Amino acid sequence: LIADGLGRAHEAGIVHRDVKPANIIITPRGEVKIVDFGIAKLATMTRPTRAGTTVGTASYMSPEQSQGMETDQRSDLFSLGIVMYEMLTGKRPFGGEHEPAILYSIVSLDPPVPSTINPAIPPLVDVMVLRLLEKEPTKRYQSAADLRKEIRDFLGVSETARTGARIPRSLRQLVSRKVLIPVGVAFFLLLLLLVPSIRLPFQQWIGFISLPSERHLAVLPFTNVGGNEEVQALCDGLIEILSSKLTQLEPENTWVVAASEIRQRKIASALEAHKNFGATMAITGSVQYEGEKLRLTLNLVDAKSSRQLKSVVLDQQRTNLSQLQDGLMVALANMLELDVAPDKLVIAGGTEDSKAYELYLQARGYLQRFERVENIITAIELFKKAGESDSSYALAWAGLGEAYWRRYEATKDMQWVDVAVQACQKALVLNDRLGPVHVSLGIIYRGTGKYEEAIKELQQAIEIDRFNTDAYRESAIAYASLNDIKKAEETYKKAIELRPTYWAGHNMLGVFYFRQGRIDEAAQAFKKVIELSPENIIGYDNLGGIYFYQKQWSEARKQFERSVQLYPTYVVFSQLGTLNFYERRYADAAQSYEKALQMQGTDYRVWGYLASAYRWSGREDKAKETFEKAAGMAEGQRKVNPRDPSLSYTLAGYYAALGKPLEARTLLQQALVLAPSDVRIMGRVGMVYEHLGDREEAIRLIEKAVKAGFSLAELENDPEMNSLRKDPRYQKIAQSK
């Protein structure tokens, strides 16, 4: 019956190229149907898959398909042979722990004879299956019709019988057609009907379990097979491009976690994506160069169970690498069962120049790691080379503009602002329908105080892509900067209206309310995050932060502890440490900070918090050692970005604790020069001056900061400020607040 369906497709000139159990269904009327001809439709696209590109599911590929060679109807018959082998024996003929091993097995190894696994299989069936699995296409059945005839002869069914007949409804009918079904198989069929624990895995195997209706996606870091640095950059670039493009494709019941969020939280597994962001599915993969061929493996994984749902392998010759992006998007759309018009899958502003595309991917990868100035500089050079290779490559010029802006943010050197704008504008001259470029320009204009121009660019981005979360967020920030709070709030709410089940929209609104001092409304927004994504730790972390701010310590603790129960992270252990510290539970604070650092020991700030906890719990020697470690790590960060005012005043605090007042004062002055209008920094610099014993300067700065809106909440709970809080001048400042 499956051969009947393939035969009709082949007669129509269609090669399926992804025959597997998940694409073979049984209708309620008992009819067999082959579904998901999405990969076959590649041949009808405006920009078809070129020679050297491989698509399909690794475990069911033919040898020629797995090597990126031309395929025809005989390739489908090989895949059908794998399906038949698995149906008869319960095992796949070609195995391996990972995709490369599976593909090697398909190309190079012969499978065991089916009857050696299941002795009830008749010899003639052995012959049929093994003929389907011949490595050389000329040795297989040459058409589905040939296979169909041999099967019908074996079953004793006349060739004149109606094709597309329904599956027999009883075991008696099966036996009457001379199919030799072992007693064990019959018993298994009965179990399928009666026992859910057996039926459900079987349904999963044959594809009866559909994808979640709410497609909440996370694209996870790809495995760099071989560990080459250039390939790593290419991996990172692909992740950023896939996340961005999927965001543009997504329907209303789908959302994609931003690549930057995945990276910042160091998410590496589907389960972590589920716990951290409420993702229901994750896309994982690997990238490997084999000579001049790039092999990209993509897997769709159920985020909660970590069960692989689908897999596809794409091979692309390096000389045709520019053709990878469109085939990649088609493969992803098929995996996600998204009904998207082919022209929507093509990446706008792209290139036909494979060298330019490879340089662009690497540049995107380096730019993802923008915390190091060297990576930004490398990205700039790669974007330039991509633009030189193809001067019409709009995305390369857009990337260059973004990289220049990142360089300005890292150095605060104004020379990079103008060139950033120029690069983005050149990209728009080449293609003015690039939403991310309008967003980049909006960010640049907002960052330089040109709020009206920023809003104009961001609104154009929204016109191009009404689901562009970045555009809504940046627009709202620009409106708030113009003191148009009403419009800012409306913008956040508009984003929520478009995708009401997307927790991140409610989270952004909650942060906005918090910054506006609308604490109760912020709490409600974070509660909505928890309602929509009850296993998402972000909602609990933020709601705990609200209670912490309100000095509702017990409620804050409940939220943080719930976060720990769901998925312990270094962030929440650090928050618990600070809560313990403010409650004067210094030993407990130290223990919480130690747990945080066991999970991630690269944050100098948490080392500083731990040092303070040691100090106030009476462990002076341990405190000094830990302050020195925190200072050393902070100095390392200062080499990367010497213009970070937060780092400057934090490091000054460490030097004050270590009895190095000269170094501390130099850094405090630097912090004030770098951020003269930042009230948070002004207030904290004042606190360090108090630690240095300079009460007059501490009072002056804290009073100035409070008048500009600085909250005294932190100062009120810091034991270093005990003496200051008794000063009448401070008490007068506190009363005025």
Side-chain angles (χ1 to χ4, degrees), residues 631-649:
M633 295 178 71
E635 285 288 8
Q637 284 294 107
R638 200 154 72 100
K639 291 177 182 178
V640 176
N641 183 4
R643 301 175 67 91
D644 184 343
S646 295
L647 191 155
S648 295
Y649 78 71

Side-chain angles (χ1 to χ4, degrees), residues 382-636:
L382 290 168
F383 281 130
K384 282 182 178 179
K385 289 179 181 179
E388 290 167 1
S389 186
D390 180 358
S391 60
S392 65
Y393 193 2
L395 288 176
W397 294 104
L400 182 60
E402 184 181 343
Y404 277 136
W405 176 251
R406 289 291 187 189
R407 192 166 185 182
Y408 162 73
E409 288 187 315
T411 65
K412 302 304 179 186
D413 188 337
M414 288 298 295
Q415 68 169 307
W416 306 118
V417 175
D418 289 341
V419 290
V421 172
Q422 290 167 14
C424 288
Q425 289 176 337
K426 181 165 184 175
L428 291 178
V429 168
L430 294 169
N431 188 329
D432 65 356
R433 299 297 295 171
L434 297 175
V437 185
H438 289 289
V439 172
S440 293
L441 271 173
I443 292 172
I444 294 170
Y445 287 142
R446 180 183 64 76
T448 52
K450 299 177 181 179
Y451 302 123
E452 291 84 0
E453 291 92 330
I455 290 169
K456 180 180 177 182
E457 292 294 338
L458 294 163
Q459 289 305 309
Q460 288 188 56
I462 291 170
E463 288 177 11
I464 295 169
D465 174 16
R466 68 191 185 105
F467 290 113
N468 193 314
T469 303
D470 291 338
Y472 285 105
R473 182 187 64 248
E474 293 296 331
S475 292
I477 295 172
Y479 281 125
S481 300
L482 289 170
N483 292 316
D484 192 343
I485 303 304
K486 180 180 179 182
K487 193 69 175 177
E489 184 177 1
E490 288 175 355
T491 304
Y492 282 123
K493 288 184 174 180
K494 178 63 176 176
I496 292 172
E497 180 184 328
L498 286 170
R499 195 176 290 110
T501 63
Y502 186 25
W503 62 266
H506 298 276
N507 193 63
M508 287 190 297
L509 181 62
V511 172
F512 167 75
Y513 283 145
F514 178 78
R515 289 174 177 168
Q516 295 299 314
R518 297 161 64 175
I519 305 302
D520 291 340
E521 290 168 286
Q524 289 304 314
F526 294 139
K527 287 176 181 177
K528 186 66 177 179
V529 172
I530 293 171
E531 177 188 330
L532 290 171
S533 187
E535 293 188 84
N536 180 347
I537 62 174
I538 290 175
Y540 298 100
D541 289 352
N542 286 340
L543 186 58
I546 290 289
Y547 290 134
F548 181 86
Y549 182 83
Q550 295 176 318
K551 297 184 182 179
Q552 297 183 40
W553 307 127
S554 61
E555 289 299 319
R557 186 174 297 279
K558 286 179 184 177
Q559 301 305 318
F560 293 149
E561 289 179 347
R562 175 58 176 154
S563 180
V564 168
Q565 290 170 1
L566 285 170
Y567 194 72
T569 65
Y570 101 96
V571 173
V572 73
F573 277 123
S574 178
Q575 290 171 320
L576 277 169
T578 301
L579 177 58
N580 288 328
F581 190 87
Y582 281 8
E583 290 184 329
R584 309 292 195 266
R585 297 163 57 177
Y586 301 122
D588 290 341
Q591 189 176 46
S592 295
Y593 289 135
E594 286 169 346
K595 287 181 180 178
L597 291 168
Q598 286 170 6
M599 302 185 76
Q600 182 176 316
T602 59
D603 193 332
Y604 66 89
R605 295 168 301 179
V606 182
W607 283 104
Y609 302 153
L610 176 60
S612 293
Y614 283 149
R615 182 177 186 179
W616 286 94
S617 59
R619 303 167 69 181
E620 286 291 347
D621 290 344
K622 196 72 173 173
K624 183 176 184 296
E625 174 189 327
T626 309
F627 271 126
E628 287 174 346
K629 182 177 181 65
M633 295 178 71
E635 285 288 8

